Amino acid sequence: LEPFGTGNSEPIFAMIGARVERIFSLSQSKHTKIDVTYGGVKTSVLIFFQSPDSMPFVVGDRVDLMVSIGINVFAGKENLSIKALDYRIHGFNQSKYFAAKDCYEKYRRGENLPLAFLKKINPDRQELVKIYKTIGAFGEIAFDRLYMRLDSPEMNYCKLKLAVDAFEELGLVSFLSSTQNITVLPVKQRVDMES
C-alpha cells in the first residue's frame, strides 16, 4: 500500500478483544511492549512514550488496540512491527464516558442538570470506599486508568471525578490536572466521608 503521504494515509488496523499475556518495560519505562494473543496468534505490540505503570490494563485483560503494522529490518532479518496508536479495555463504552465527562463540566460550571442526572452522579459511601481503596492500592494512578479499572454499569466519569474532588477537598489525595495523576496523601486524622 506504500508510499504513504498526502492522499494515501498509512492504514490503521483494529485488534478487538486481544488478550494481554505479558507487559514489558522498554528504555527504563519510557515505552511499553505487550505480548497479546489475537485470533489465535501470539504477537507483540509496542506502545511508545507510555510506561507500563500507566497502562489501564493488566495481564489477562482483553483490550482493543488501534495499530499500525510495518516491517522492521534488523541485522538483515525482517520482523513484523506492530505499534499501538490507541488502546482501551475491551468493551469500554466511550460514548458513556464522554457524556458523563460533559455532565461533570456542566455541574462544575453550575449549570442546571436534570434530577435524574444528579442521582446518577452522586457516589454513595460504598462506592467512595471502593474508589479510595483502589487508589490506595496503587499509591498513584492516572485518572483514566482508575476509571477503566472501576468500569461498571454504576460508575461514570462524573461520579468518579466528584469522588476524587471530595477526596482532594478532605486532604486524602492530591490531583494534578496537568498529568491527571491521583496520589494518596498521608492521613493525619480520621475524616468524615459523608461530609
Side-chain angles (χ1 to χ4, degrees):
L1 298 173
E2 292 178 332
F4 306 126
T6 305
N8 190 30
S9 302
E10 183 176 353
I12 297 171
F13 301 91
M15 298 172 71
I16 306 297
R19 180 178 163 78
V20 178
E21 303 293 345
R22 296 193 312 175
I23 302 173
F24 300 94
S25 170
L26 300 174
S27 301
Q28 288 93 34
S29 291
K30 277 173 117 175
H31 313 294
T32 300
K33 179 173 102 171
I34 59 173
D35 285 348
V36 299
T37 301
Y38 181 67
V41 176
K42 292 186 179 194
T43 190
S44 295
V45 177
L46 299 173
I47 304 171
F48 289 106
F49 306 109
Q50 295 190 39
S51 71
D53 290 342
S54 69
M55 297 294 107
F57 48 79
V58 295
V59 171
D61 282 350
R62 294 207 174 271
V63 294
D64 299 336
L65 301 160
M66 185 170 64
V67 300
S68 65
I69 300 175
I71 302 218
N72 183 30
V73 180
F74 182 74
K77 277 183 113 175
E78 290 185 349
N79 296 303
L80 185 63
S81 171
I82 304 174
K83 297 174 190 163
L85 305 172
D86 205 354
Y87 53 83
R88 66 182 181 195
I89 298 285
H90 180 64
F92 180 73
N93 186 333
Q94 282 183 218
S95 59
K96 174 185 160 190
Y97 175 87
F98 288 114
K101 188 173 184 179
D102 182 57
C103 181
Y104 172 78
E105 290 165 1
K106 287 178 180 177
Y107 177 80
R108 294 300 287 184
R109 287 192 301 262
E111 294 180 27
N112 288 330
L113 294 171
L115 186 58
F117 276 174
L118 294 174
K119 287 180 181 178
K120 286 183 179 182
I121 65 173
N122 186 22
D124 63 28
R125 181 170 170 64
Q126 189 175 5
E127 289 170 322
L128 289 169
V129 169
K130 182 179 180 181
I131 294 165
Y132 186 72
K133 283 184 176 181
T134 303
I135 297 168
F138 287 93
E140 181 175 341
I141 187 169
F143 183 86
D144 282 348
R145 183 177 193 199
L146 175 64
Y147 178 80
M148 288 187 198
R149 295 293 345 138
L150 294 169
D151 190 28
S152 71
E154 297 79 33
M155 186 56 62
N156 61 63
Y157 176 98
C158 190
K159 183 184 284 189
L160 181 58
K161 188 65 174 83
L162 288 173
V164 171
D165 289 351
F167 295 153
E168 188 174 33
E169 206 173 286
L170 292 168
L172 298 172
V173 303
S174 69
F175 176 75
L176 190 57
S177 58
S178 61
T179 62
Q180 296 288 299
N181 280 355
I182 307 160
T183 306
V184 173
L185 298 174
V187 179
K188 296 175 183 158
Q189 62 187 22
R190 190 172 173 87
V191 296
D192 177 16
M193 289 258 209
E194 296 299 320
S195 69

